[in-house]
Amino acid sequence: MRQVIIIGSGPAGFTAAIYAARANLEPLLIASSVEIGGELMNTTDVENFPGFPEGILGPDLMTKMQQQAERFGTEVLYDDAVALDLTGPVKKVTLGSGTVHEAATVIFATGSAPRKIGIENEARLSGHGVSYCATCDGFFFREKTIAVVGGGDSAMEEATFLTKFASKVYVIHRRDSLRASKIMQDRAFANEKIEFVWNAEIIDVLGDDAVTGVVLKDTVDGSERELPLDGVFVAIGNDPRTHLVHDVLRLTDAGTVWVDGRSSRTSVEGVFAAGDVVDATYRQAVTAAASGTVAALDVEHFLAARGDA
Ligand code: NAP
């Protein structure tokens, strides 16, 4: 039986792995069968992670974190956790391959998933002009007219990035002021290819096989109009990925995994949580990494108190 299994391969999971491995806990990290590295894999320049004054590409940062975790003995599995049995003293993690791994503790660091607008044709046209990842799909929109939905940092970052490809980028926001940080706002305002559509929400996505436009509703006067488009990038925030644990671990009103104060201790003994799955507020790479550290230290103390480590 393992001492600790870490589920998740973002900054929280890998930082927890670095600390746990250096504490000789020989962690097993369940990364994902699709893409290792979490949300930063869908980011371009990371300019605010300390230690990289010139910035670093998100995927490069995650590769370095993985190398650092493996250097100290973390075992990384490229598979998905599909079922968890967390309540007893032996935690069981079932993977997509069917293999079951056992451990005394689990660090749950599954991050968050992009939020959907929730309208019918959004799902139907997903992958056919509706996207949740500018760095993944921007390339397909060379010289096209597209829109980004949202008013936060993600929307500004995606809109600015997409101007490398598209001839025109609308930013559709439901209010008349942005939530994004000033530096990101200023960058978007200064970009001639970006045009803001204020007080508007998308109520329908148009197109048979591919997006041809959207129906906008004015959030002030309720009027509706069509906007012709080749693509829509949805960047309206993320929701914590709790589907594996929502009936086992206590959750907060914000939908994140509840933890005890500043610790990573969840409502179930021996189960710890870290990163975006516990954080509805800050959600930065560096805060996720810090929270991974907390989780690894909490695991160490838990095992030591039980006489296991
Ligand atoms: P966010 O800050 O929660 O912003 C979400 C935006 O989407 C808000 O403007 C919100 O509108 C809008 N929105 C939410 N639900 C909507 C809906 N159903 N329909 C239409 N619009 C909707 O999320 P985020 O931009 O993903 O950022 C999350 C966190 O990551 C933040 O802490 C951010 O600072 C951080 N982040 C940082 C960077 C960076 O530093 N480079 C880059 C990306 C993200 P309202 O404003 O009206 O609520």
Side-chain angles (χ1 to χ4, degrees):
M1 184 172 78
R2 297 267 176 176
Q3 304 207 70
V4 58
I5 294 177
I6 299 164
I7 303 172
S9 58
F14 273 131
T15 308
I18 292 165
Y19 274 75
R22 290 190 75 252
N24 288 331
L25 298 181
E26 297 175 344
L28 175 68
L29 185 144
I30 312 302
S32 161
S33 63
V34 184
E35 185 175 65
I36 190 165
E39 279 289 290
L40 283 187
M41 300 304 285
N42 302 328
T43 301
T44 49
D45 290 317
V46 179
E47 295 177 332
N48 49 13
F49 200 90
F52 299 94
E54 310 302 329
I56 180 167
L57 292 173
D60 291 351
L61 180 59
M62 294 321 301
T63 301
K64 285 179 186 292
M65 286 193 197
Q66 179 176 355
Q67 287 168 343
Q68 198 172 349
E70 288 180 330
R71 177 182 155 206
F72 297 110
T74 302
E75 185 184 345
V76 177
L77 283 186
Y78 297 83
D79 204 343
D80 303 307
V82 294
L84 304 177
D85 180 356
L86 298 176
T87 43
V90 177
K91 316 297 178 193
K92 295 185 180 134
V93 178
T94 305
L95 304 186
S97 61
T99 324
V100 180
H101 293 269
E102 295 183 347
T105 64
V106 163
I107 295 176
F108 193 70
T110 49
S112 58
R115 194 173 290 154
K116 313 270 192 292
I117 303 173
I119 49 181
E120 199 179 316
N121 289 319
E122 174 191 14
R124 185 176 60 79
L125 290 166
S126 178
H128 302 278
V130 175
S131 171
Y132 302 87
C133 176
T135 50
C136 315
D137 300 328
F139 182 78
F140 299 114
F141 294 87
R142 276 187 191 284
E143 299 305 318
K144 304 280 189 196
T145 299
I146 58 179
V148 173
V149 189
D153 279 337
S154 296
M156 296 312 108
E157 187 172 77
E158 301 234 324
T160 305
F161 174 74
L162 286 165
T163 59
K164 289 186 185 177
F165 308 100
S167 53
K168 170 102 188 168
V169 179
Y170 292 101
V171 172
I172 299 170
H173 183 38
R174 61 185 178 184
R175 296 186 293 125
D176 65 357
S177 63
L178 298 172
R179 181 179 294 275
S181 56
K182 182 148 186 342
I183 186 170
M184 306 285 268
Q185 292 194 23
D186 289 348
R187 216 172 272 171
F189 287 142
N191 193 314
E192 287 178 354
K193 283 188 177 177
I194 297 178
E195 180 178 332
F196 283 82
V197 181
W198 301 108
N199 298 318
E201 59 186 10
I202 296 180
I203 57 168
D204 199 4
V205 187
L206 305 172
D208 293 331
D209 302 326
V211 169
T212 56
V214 293
V215 180
L216 294 177
K217 183 175 181 181
D218 190 299
T219 54
V220 178
D221 64 19
S223 62
E224 294 179 15
R225 71 177 170 108
E226 287 187 15
L227 180 66
L229 292 171
D230 301 303
V232 183
F233 287 80
V234 181
I236 59 174
N238 287 55
D239 290 316
R241 266 201 205 92
T242 56
H243 61 282
L244 287 173
V245 295
H246 63 86
D247 54 352
V248 184
L249 302 181
R250 182 173 155 195
L251 302 184
T252 67
D253 291 343
T256 52
V257 172
W258 175 89
V259 287
D260 185 8
R262 296 184 63 204
S263 82
S264 65
R265 289 188 298 274
T266 69
S267 54
V268 172
E269 191 175 83
V271 180
F272 303 83
D276 282 5
V277 82
V278 300
D279 178 10
T281 311
Y282 300 107
R283 303 193 50 254
Q284 304 296 305
V286 72
T287 51
S291 127
T293 304
V294 170
L297 295 176
D298 285 345
V299 162
E300 225 185 310
H301 294 153
F302 176 82
L303 294 172
R306 285 191 359 170
D308 288 354

